[in-house]
Amino acid sequence: MKVLNFGSLNLDLVYQMEHFIRAGETFAASRLDKFPGGKGLNQSIALARAGAEVYHGGNVGPDGEVLVETLGNAGVDTRLIRRVEEVTGHAVIQVDSRGDNSIILYGGANMRVTSGQIDQVLEEFAPGDYLILQNEINRVGEIIEKAFEKGMLIVLNPSPMNEEIRKLPLEKVSFFLLNEIEGEELTGKREPGEILEELLIRYPHARIVLTLGEKGSVYADAEKRIYQDIYKVEAVDTTAAGDTFTGYFISTLIRTGSCQKALDMAARASAIAVSRKGAAPSIPTLDEVCGAGI
């Protein structure tokens, strides 16, 4: 079973700050680091490190070859990445003294996906293969429509959440992986139980994973709910926590068929990720997750 991640490829500029910048404020960063990033790239690396056969579809500009190399070194098949005459997408990330982050995105090459490119990429996949999507590229709705016609299983991480998400053919999504804020914005509900109930009313055939920060995570479908606690560690940088969770959940689910095992592995992996700096560099390997004393 193959996994296609049609997603973003970014260069991350990470500034270490005492606190997030406020309107009108000028404040010196204590450190600047440059990392490969983008939710698409991060999730592809997490999928690959968790053992999935993953292919990445997307775009980079002339300055983005380091991202292609990063994916390849992680075990991701990069043959479906297209080079375009546009600056590579990038992110400006503030990380405060508590390890929380604030992110500004510029889409760049990520927003140059074409209909012909979508057709060419999807030709490589068959019914039952997985498609992973986020909201950092253009034509997400078209990708969903065409993948659904092929019989692929569609996994959507609706991040960053905006009005474009509401315009997507969400009834064709097989899995929603989202956090509490995204769940509230999508449903208008605040309590986790109400968010899950509303999503299942709207999309009764979907399977949902809702992450709850320090309260853990929960899986829900029409028949059951499964809760998972976090593994407590000292947080250094939460930038790739959600992407690590997504990659490990899907990869473990494919490998084992168990939602409970998938939640547990995702919790372990994301705990390791937040204890390290950076996005892609913080994502652990399967051996590290299995051998971790947490």
Side-chain angles (χ1 to χ4, degrees), residues 28 38 169 200 229:
L200 288 172
D229 289 332

Side-chain angles (χ1 to χ4, degrees), residues 6-8 57 110-111 113 133-140 143:
F6 211 139
S8 57
N110 293 316
M111 306 309 290
V113 174
L133 292 168
Q134 312 84 33
N135 192 32
E136 291 182 349
I137 63 173
N138 64 318
R139 297 184 183 271
V140 173
I143 298 170

Side-chain angles (χ1 to χ4, degrees), residues 49 248 268-269 272 276 281-294:
R49 289 183 178 168
Y248 266 84
R268 291 175 182 271
I272 295 172
R276 300 170 173 175
S282 74
I283 300 170
T285 65
L286 185 59
D287 286 344
E288 287 178 313
V289 177
C290 292
I294 57 176

Side-chain angles (χ1 to χ4, degrees), residues 18-136:
E18 178 62 28
H19 61 263
F20 296 149
I21 293 295
R22 296 183 290 268
E25 181 181 22
T26 300
F27 195 86
S30 61
R31 180 186 176 103
L32 167 63
D33 293 299
K34 298 180 180 180
F35 298 111
K39 295 189 72 64
L41 179 141
N42 295 338
Q43 290 179 18
S44 281
I45 290 177
L47 284 157
R49 289 183 178 168
E53 180 185 354
V54 58
Y55 300 73
H56 194 99
N59 296 331
V60 294
D63 54 339
E65 287 303 315
V66 64
L67 304 180
V68 181
E69 293 174 4
T70 298
L71 286 171
N73 291 338
V76 178
D77 192 307
T78 61
R79 289 174 293 172
L80 301 177
I81 296 175
R82 188 172 63 121
R83 279 72 172 175
V84 299
E85 290 302 317
E86 169 66 272
V87 65
T88 297
H90 58 269
V92 176
I93 303 172
Q94 297 180 66
V95 179
D96 70 10
S97 58
R98 299 179 300 177
D100 291 329
N101 64 73
S102 175
I103 303 173
I104 299 172
L105 287 175
Y106 178 70
N110 293 316
M111 306 309 290
R112 295 282 297 275
V113 174
T114 66
S115 290
Q117 178 185 6
I118 294 169
D119 294 338
Q120 185 177 16
V121 169
L122 292 181
E123 283 179 0
E124 304 290 327
F125 300 89
D129 286 340
Y130 277 74
L131 168 66
I132 315 297
L133 292 168
Q134 312 84 33
N135 192 32
E136 291 182 349

Side-chain angles (χ1 to χ4, degrees), residues 259-281:
C259 293
Q260 183 67 72
K261 290 180 181 178
L263 284 175
D264 182 68
M265 286 293 286
R268 291 175 182 271
S270 56
I272 295 172
V274 301
S275 70
R276 300 170 173 175
K277 291 184 178 180

